[in-house]
Amino acid sequence: MLLTFTPPLLLGVSVGVVFNAALPTWLITALLITMLAFMSVRTVQKGLSQWSQETKRRHQAAAAAEEATITAAVPPGAPAAPGSSPAPPAAGGGASASAAVVVISDTAEEASSSSSKPKQAPYPVAMFCGVVFLWLGFSALQVLRQRTERCSLAYFAVGGLQVFFGAGCSVLFAYYCVARPAR
């Protein structure tokens, strides 16, 4: 994840430095306030959405547990609670059929999860080398940019190289972190 976020982050810092030098302070402040307000609204909306989903799941789990308690409390052959279907006859030693299904599915899940190996991070040495290459590349381009005359053609060419370098590193890192481990 570090590899996919670092190039856009460095590119954003470079663009932010240019905008900070070129735009007036009041405009930068207004843009930051607007962005903060937008991000706050999105965060609150996402939080409320997750809260409602979790509340709904909690109510469903409580209803299922209550139904299981009612079904387990009814003795075999006795009439079921109003509004519920009668419990199926127990197979064997008194355990209900729904409990047997839960035990079987839990056992199957445990067997499948124990046979699969935990996934390791792909290419840790290659990722480290990629991050070092990225930082050295951005540093070299930044030093080169500082040594050129401001507002000259070379100054904007080096800025353009930073954009292409950052985009290229993002694509390469996304390939090595997302597409390549799937093979």
Side-chain angles (χ1 to χ4, degrees), residues 7-177:
L9 178 70
L10 291 174
L11 191 60
V13 167
S14 298
V15 170
V17 167
V18 170
F19 280 164
N20 193 23
L23 298 176
T25 306
W26 65 268
L27 182 60
I28 292 172
T29 305
L31 289 173
L32 288 173
I33 290 171
T34 305
M35 184 178 70
L36 181 62
F38 174 74
M39 290 170 57
S40 298
V41 168
R42 294 281 309 255
T43 302
V44 168
Q45 288 175 342
K46 182 71 173 178
L48 289 174
S49 169
Q50 286 182 343
W51 177 73
S52 67
Q53 289 174 357
E54 290 173 4
T55 303
K56 188 185 298 183
R57 276 190 244 134
R58 190 172 357 132
H59 288 304
Q60 289 173 347
E66 183 179 326
E67 183 178 317
T69 304
I70 290 172
T71 305
V74 175
S84 66
S85 61
S96 69
S98 62
V101 170
V102 171
V103 171
I104 291 170
S105 66
D106 285 343
T107 306
E109 286 178 24
E110 289 173 5
S112 67
S113 66
S114 65
S115 65
S116 63
K117 296 179 183 176
K119 293 186 179 180
Q120 295 180 352
Y123 315 111
V125 174
M127 285 185 182
F128 178 74
C129 291
V131 170
V132 169
F133 172 73
L134 176 72
W135 282 95
L136 289 176
F138 260 99
S139 298
L141 287 171
Q142 200 64 27
V143 167
L144 183 63
R145 188 172 177 193
Q146 287 177 356
R147 292 184 181 205
T148 59
E149 184 181 340
R150 281 190 170 217
C151 297
S152 66
L153 183 61
Y155 182 79
F156 291 114
V158 173
L161 280 175
Q162 279 185 324
V163 171
F164 287 120
F165 183 73
C169 286
S170 293
V171 170
L172 283 174
F173 293 160
Y175 171 74
Y176 277 106
C177 292

